[in-house]
Amino acid sequence: MKILHSVRSVQKLTSQIRSEGKVIGFVPTMGYLHEGHLSLMRTARKKCNYLFVSIFVNPTQFGPNEDFSKYPRDFRRDRLLCEKEKVDFIFFPDSEKMYPENYSTYVEVHNITEILEGSHRPRHFRGVATIVLKLFNIIQPDFAVFGQKDAQQVAVIRKMVSDLNVNTKIIVNPTVREEDGLAMSSRNVYLNGKQRKDASVLYKALKYAERKILTPGYNRDLGFIKEQMGKLIKSRPTVTGVDYISFNREDNLQEVTSLKNFKKGRLLISLAVRFGKIRLIDNIVVSVNL
Ligand code: AMP
């Protein structure tokens, strides 16, 4: 496994690999790796000749009051984990190389970035789309693997790839969870004991909604279900706020307010909840066929 820092050296290498007709797989991450990240690497490993992982805490996707400087980092540990997963190359650039002083180009994906996460983190997806396109241009992957954990991110990247004719296939892996259902996240290390215990309520609330929606005879009113989910979540003492609980079409993220208008299709149920300063997101997708 090799660690690469320079954009030019990666571009040279990947142009060479592509000219030999070999397949490049790519997993972009911000590091502090956990089983969720490793599952993406395992999926990618099976489908490519050369597996690239990037580790870069991308400053442009953090808001001014967010945790960029405190975001957990441990490159030595990440490197060992990548080695175990038989990663061929880690791209580990410096921030100054990705965003030099005169940097001024950003990718904006309209209509699906203003809602959900976007309404609470206004420039987040501009930063995400920009860094992902930059990484695609540097690594030139045949495919890239993302996690369902960040469902809106997946929708935004898919839209960008389609709108800008990017020649990279997008693959999505299921969310990897702890035993009690909490979605794995690098940010989970911020949780204290009580918060960690309470955080399992997010998945419980999502599964509650799924049950209600799928079981005939249950109350399928989405407003009612949302209210009940909110009550369940707020019953945990360390919860300090619910930013949103939302029902949306999985493909274009259009809000679904009633199942009367959505009898068949993939329904994304997503939420964002604060435990003090720690903000966690989670989602599930329900196949509706009424
Ligand atoms: P991050 O390092 O948080 O930017 O995440 C890098 C990639 O890992 C993204 O595609 C995430 O959606 C994915 N990911 C993060 N957590 C999980 C998880 N629990 N299960 C599956 N994928 C995940």
Side-chain angles (χ1 to χ4, degrees):
M1 188 179 74
K2 263 194 173 161
I3 293 150
L4 305 164
H5 298 277
S6 117
V7 171
R8 283 300 298 141
S9 67
V10 176
Q11 277 172 330
K12 247 171 96 177
L13 174 69
T14 51
S15 294
Q16 173 67 29
I17 292 174
R18 282 179 77 101
S19 74
E20 290 166 8
K22 298 281 202 285
V23 176
I24 300 175
F26 175 41
V27 177
T29 83
M30 298 207 296
Y32 212 74
L33 304 175
H34 52 66
E35 275 298 315
H37 298 114
L38 304 185
S39 76
L40 310 186
M41 293 177 201
R42 284 169 205 149
T43 295
R45 182 67 279 176
K46 290 187 207 133
K47 297 173 188 283
C48 64
N49 302 107
Y50 292 96
L51 173 55
F52 280 74
V53 168
S54 63
I55 296 181
F56 181 61
V57 184
N58 174 36
T60 61
Q61 71 189 66
F62 288 79
N65 300 317
E66 292 181 0
D67 56 346
F68 172 68
S69 58
K70 279 191 264 134
Y71 195 84
R73 295 162 168 89
D74 188 347
F75 184 70
R76 278 168 66 160
R77 181 171 162 276
D78 289 348
R79 180 185 173 155
L80 289 173
L81 290 170
C82 287
E83 202 136 30
K84 268 200 203 150
E85 298 305 327
K86 303 194 167 45
V87 171
D88 295 296
F89 299 100
I90 299 181
F91 180 46
F92 184 51
D94 297 332
S95 202
E96 303 79 59
K97 292 221 178 95
M98 296 304 272
Y99 298 107
E101 227 174 72
N102 56 351
Y103 190 86
S104 62
T105 305
Y106 294 89
V107 180
E108 290 190 10
V109 182
H110 292 287
N111 300 328
I112 57 171
T113 54
E114 295 83 357
I115 53 167
L116 302 172
E117 281 302 282
S119 66
H120 294 270
R121 308 182 68 189
R123 296 207 167 176
H124 174 66
F125 288 114
R126 184 179 92 139
V128 168
T130 301
I131 192 64
V132 170
L133 187 61
K134 280 168 70 70
L135 290 168
F136 283 3
N137 283 332
I138 295 165
I139 291 168
Q140 308 174 61
D142 292 277
F143 69 85
V145 189
F146 291 84
Q148 174 63 28
K149 161 85 189 339
D150 299 281
Q152 191 174 10
Q153 171 169 285
V154 168
V156 171
I157 300 298
R158 280 196 195 285
K159 189 74 171 70
M160 173 188 81
V161 161
S162 159
D163 285 354
L164 296 181
N165 314 99
V166 180
N167 197 13
T168 296
K169 189 178 167 205
I170 304 303
I171 295 173
V172 181
N173 244 41
T175 302
V176 177
R177 298 179 180 282
E178 302 285 356
E179 243 170 59
D180 64 355
L182 176 65
M184 289 195 181
S185 163
S186 308
R187 289 191 167 99
N188 290 350
V189 293
Y190 298 147
L191 298 165
N192 66 30
K194 281 184 183 153
Q195 291 169 327
R196 170 64 192 82
K197 207 165 144 259
D198 285 352
S200 64
V201 77
L202 305 188
Y203 189 56
K204 286 196 173 72
L206 292 167
K207 292 302 274 184
Y208 160 84
E210 179 183 56
R211 268 198 319 276
K212 283 269 179 190
I213 289 165
L214 292 182
T215 311
Y218 266 32
N219 184 341
R220 291 210 187 100
D221 181 89
L222 294 184
F224 173 77
I225 294 174
K226 198 188 280 193
E227 208 180 289
Q228 295 301 108
M229 290 170 78
K231 277 189 190 159
L232 179 65
I233 291 167
K234 285 179 193 151
S235 73
R236 299 293 172 110
T238 61
V239 169
T240 50
V242 177
D243 279 356
Y244 62 84
I245 297 172
S246 189
F247 300 89
N248 301 71
R249 291 175 58 105
E250 190 197 22
D251 49 4
N252 59 13
L253 299 189
Q254 223 171 51
E255 191 176 0
V256 177
T257 50
S258 165
L259 290 177
K260 284 186 193 122
N261 319 320
F262 192 84
K263 296 215 181 302
K264 199 167 183 215
R266 287 170 63 79
L267 181 70
L268 174 73
I269 313 176
S270 63
L271 46 77
V273 173
R274 281 175 282 113
F275 297 79
K277 281 193 180 138
I278 307 149
R279 186 173 177 280
L280 300 182
I281 60 169
D282 200 355
N283 71 82
I284 57 172
V285 174
V286 179
S287 285
V288 177
N289 192 358
L290 300 178

